[in-house]
Amino acid sequence: MSRIKLNYKIIFHFLGLLLLFNGGFMMIATLISLIYKDGVTFNLFLAGLVTLLIGTFAMIGTKNHRKEMNKREGYIVVAFGWIVMSLTGTLPYLVTEVIPSFTDAFFETMSGYTTTGASILNDIEVVPKGVLFWRSITHWIGGMGIIVLAIAILPLLGIGGMQLFAAEAPGPGGDKLHPRITDTAKRLWLIYVGYTAAETILLKVAGMSFFDAINHALSTLSTGGFSTKNASVAHWNDNPAIQYIIMFFMFLAGTNFVLSYYLFKGKVSKIIKDEEFKLYFKFIAIFTVIAALLIYFRADVSQSSIDHPMVLGEFESAVRHGMFQILSVITTTGFITADYTLWTPFLTVFFFGLMFLGGSAGSTSGGVKVVRQLILIKNGFIEFKRALHPNAILPVRYNGKPVSGDIVFNILGFFILYMLSFIVGALVFSMMQIDFLSAIGLSASSLGNVGPAFGDFGPVNNYAALPPLGKWWASFLMLIGRLELFTVLILLTPFFWRNR
């Protein structure tokens, strides 16, 4: 079979555009560094300048590209876009020597862009503010997707962005707010920016410093989990208001952003009737009740407290910490207020299972996603009916409409591939002499973009002790998990590079 002819110029042109965005955000981090006089302003400026120059040369060198992009080129741009962004995103860490090791810097950057929130930094509070802000910005860019940001201005390049949008946001739940894909991207980003600003203001009013507030808002809306404090959100265990605000925005970040658009348009009935949202809400409510009751009656929360001791016997405290951890794990944000692995053995296994749930499709969260779980459950029940009535036509229905067989098979294929990736991921970690609990925790957390794992890499630990090869493997799992497997793994298949 003949080899496919790719439009390489448009690929490099678009990668150059992404680097311009990356360099621009580095310059914002430089401004933060200048304001707070943290001593690394010039280093950050240099990192931003180098990134901007590379992006500029890439765009100028390919300005005469053919303005056509097919699906294959869309997949290549998205997958390699994340890699190129992560490679250049290491520069602020390297030039400031906050993370002198390239392996560690790449891990931290990939963890940022994929909104995983796993860190190798042992003392976050001594890191210069400009670098901390850059660290949070990588979350925020990766949350909604730098690709979606870029396609919002694709008309400037004279090309459409549907191929990129499909690759960046694969799977079910592809509701569009507007027939033109670029207008959809703009609306999504407007909501994203608005929520971020709102949370920043509320956290500041609740008692956070402005710097802490904006960093935690950037991490919350992206469901990332990077904090400016070593104890994460447990640093504010004596300020419940801050934790309730973060919980509210974690819930919003794990909800389909299309529903937020409907809310602002006054179409509340569409939200109420949405089956995925109803199940997402029920999951959180039911799981919170289970966790809160077990914490209240069975767990010694004082031992799991990280910074400020919690008052034993307070039901509000049990509900708050239970709900916070449930939301954090389901939405794959990764913030913590306590070490939930010390509560009870049941809750440890319970939270491990929640790592495979994920938030809603069309949200910034990772994991399998609630809509896939819903369709899998519905299809399972229909299979029982088909066993009794083999000749009956029994389609899977979602929001009152039949779901095509292709979508059901796609979801089944995704779930099988996800579980295989988890098993292979854990096996590879175990080959590095990592114990069983830590290996399965690392694999589930990296693939689901959750952040905290179990065992040696639990909520109160970080990933610094992970071997160098383990950090590269975890970075790969983060990438395929963030781009929902197919977008990256399809590039490893021989037929992708051939004509049909």
Side-chain angles (χ1 to χ4, degrees):
M1 299 177 75
S2 59
R3 293 286 175 183
I4 178 177
K5 290 183 179 179
L6 292 170
N7 186 355
Y8 288 105
K9 282 192 173 182
I10 200 170
I11 292 172
F12 282 103
H13 195 79
F14 202 87
L15 292 179
L17 177 64
L18 296 181
L19 290 182
L20 290 183
F21 279 116
N22 221 18
F25 282 114
M26 286 182 198
M27 289 302 182
I28 297 175
T30 302
L31 182 61
I32 297 295
S33 175
L34 180 65
I35 292 171
Y36 285 96
K37 298 180 175 61
D38 60 7
V40 295
T41 304
F42 177 75
N43 306 71
L44 289 175
F45 174 78
L46 186 63
L49 182 63
V50 169
T51 306
L52 287 171
L53 287 174
I54 296 172
T56 301
F57 287 139
M59 291 196 73
I60 292 174
T62 56
K63 63 180 179 180
N64 295 321
H65 60 275
R66 188 175 75 254
K67 295 178 180 179
E68 294 176 7
M69 182 179 287
N70 58 37
K71 258 189 174 179
R72 286 184 174 94
E73 287 150 2
Y75 281 121
I76 291 170
V77 166
V78 171
F80 282 95
W82 281 80
I83 294 170
V84 168
M85 293 283 284
S86 296
L87 286 171
T88 55
T90 62
L91 290 177
Y93 299 120
L94 295 173
V95 298
T96 59
E97 297 186 346
V98 168
I99 306 177
S101 163
F102 177 72
T103 295
D104 287 350
F106 185 82
F107 177 89
E108 194 82 10
T109 310
M110 182 61 79
S111 178
Y113 282 121
T114 57
T115 71
T116 303
S119 180
I120 54 85
L121 292 171
N122 290 311
D123 192 351
I124 297 167
E125 293 175 30
V126 300
V127 175
K129 283 185 164 53
V131 179
L132 279 180
F133 186 78
W134 167 248
R135 186 167 169 263
S136 300
I137 277 288
T138 59
H139 267 346
W140 198 71
I141 300 170
M144 186 62 70
I146 187 64
I147 310 300
V148 179
L149 172 63
I151 65 174
I153 64 162
L154 270 186
L156 299 176
L157 304 181
I159 58 175
M162 191 61 216
Q163 292 87 348
L164 290 174
F165 191 81
E168 166 67 14
D175 292 333
K176 294 198 290 290
L177 314 182
H178 194 276
R180 291 181 59 190
I181 197 69
T182 50
D183 289 329
T184 294
K186 288 173 185 175
R187 283 163 171 76
L188 291 176
W189 267 94
L190 185 62
I191 294 169
Y192 193 52
V193 172
Y195 279 161
T196 305
E199 186 182 358
T200 301
I201 294 168
L202 289 174
L203 288 176
K204 178 68 174 70
V205 171
M208 272 193 185
S209 70
F210 178 74
F211 182 78
D212 289 336
I214 192 169
N215 277 272
H216 282 83
L218 293 170
S219 292
T220 305
L221 267 302
S222 62
T223 64
F226 279 156
S227 176
T228 55
K229 302 297 181 183
N230 292 326
S232 187
V233 182
H235 183 84
W236 292 277
N237 273 352
D238 57 352
N239 190 336
I242 285 175
Q243 296 179 352
Y244 281 118
I245 290 166
I246 291 175
M247 277 191 273
F248 175 71
F249 283 97
M250 280 197 291
F251 176 80
L252 288 180
T255 307
N256 191 331
F257 273 74
V258 173
L259 297 184
S260 291
Y261 177 79
Y262 291 149
L263 177 64
F264 295 132
K265 295 290 287 186
K267 299 178 180 178
V268 180
S269 60
K270 285 201 170 190
I271 302 172
I272 296 172
K273 293 177 182 177
D274 187 81
E275 289 187 47
E276 183 186 32
F277 177 77
K278 288 190 289 186
L279 187 60
Y280 170 66
F281 184 85
K282 287 175 184 176
F283 275 156
I284 291 170
I286 294 169
F287 295 157
T288 296
V289 170
I290 294 170
L293 290 175
L294 283 169
I295 294 168
Y296 185 70
F297 289 109
R298 299 290 301 275
D300 184 356
V301 283
S302 65
Q303 292 182 2
S304 62
S305 175
I306 298 170
D307 192 32
H308 300 286
M310 288 179 281
V311 180
L312 287 172
E314 289 190 0
F315 188 67
E316 182 277 331
S317 178
V319 172
R320 172 162 46 91
H321 290 282
M323 183 184 293
F324 192 99
Q325 306 313 144
I326 291 292
L327 278 164
S328 183
V329 176
I330 286 181
T331 63
T332 71
T333 305
F335 282 142
I336 55 170
T337 60
D339 186 355
Y340 50 80
T341 62
L342 297 179
W343 283 343
T344 67
F346 174 83
L347 283 177
T348 300
V349 178
F350 185 65
F351 281 113
F352 175 74
L354 292 184
M355 286 186 173
F356 296 89
L357 185 56
S360 306
S363 71
T364 59
S365 63
V368 176
K369 302 291 193 302
V370 173
V371 67
R372 288 193 178 98
Q373 311 276 0
L374 177 61
I375 291 175
L376 282 172
I377 292 168
K378 286 192 170 190
N379 187 64
F381 279 110
I382 284 177
E383 287 300 323
F384 288 133
K385 293 181 180 178
R386 285 179 183 146
L388 295 174
H389 309 285
N391 297 321
I393 299 174
L394 301 167
V396 176
R397 292 186 175 275
Y398 175 68
N399 285 341
K401 298 177 182 178
V403 178
S404 72
D406 289 342
I407 291 178
V408 175
F409 286 132
N410 178 278
I411 291 172
L412 287 169
F414 174 88
F415 187 77
I416 292 169
L417 189 58
Y418 193 95
M419 296 311 296
L420 283 173
S421 299
F422 160 68
I423 293 168
V424 172
L427 284 172
V428 173
F429 282 125
S430 68
M431 291 169 64
M432 302 173 196
Q433 305 304 310
I434 295 171
D435 67 90
F436 173 75
L437 182 60
S438 299
I440 62 171
L442 280 169
S443 185
S445 180
S446 299
L447 191 63
N449 305 135
V450 178
F454 294 92
D456 295 336
F457 307 95
V460 296
N461 303 314
N462 62 19
Y463 285 58
L466 194 63
L469 187 59
K471 289 168 184 169
W472 285 103
W473 181 241
S475 297
F476 174 72
L477 292 177
M478 291 176 200
L479 180 64
I480 65 173
R482 174 64 180 88
L483 298 180
E484 304 207 335
L485 306 181
F486 294 121
T487 304
V488 178
L489 296 181
I490 195 172
L491 301 182
L492 305 179
T493 60
F495 58 81
F496 178 84
W497 303 98
R498 298 187 187 127
N499 284 323
R500 292 184 179 180

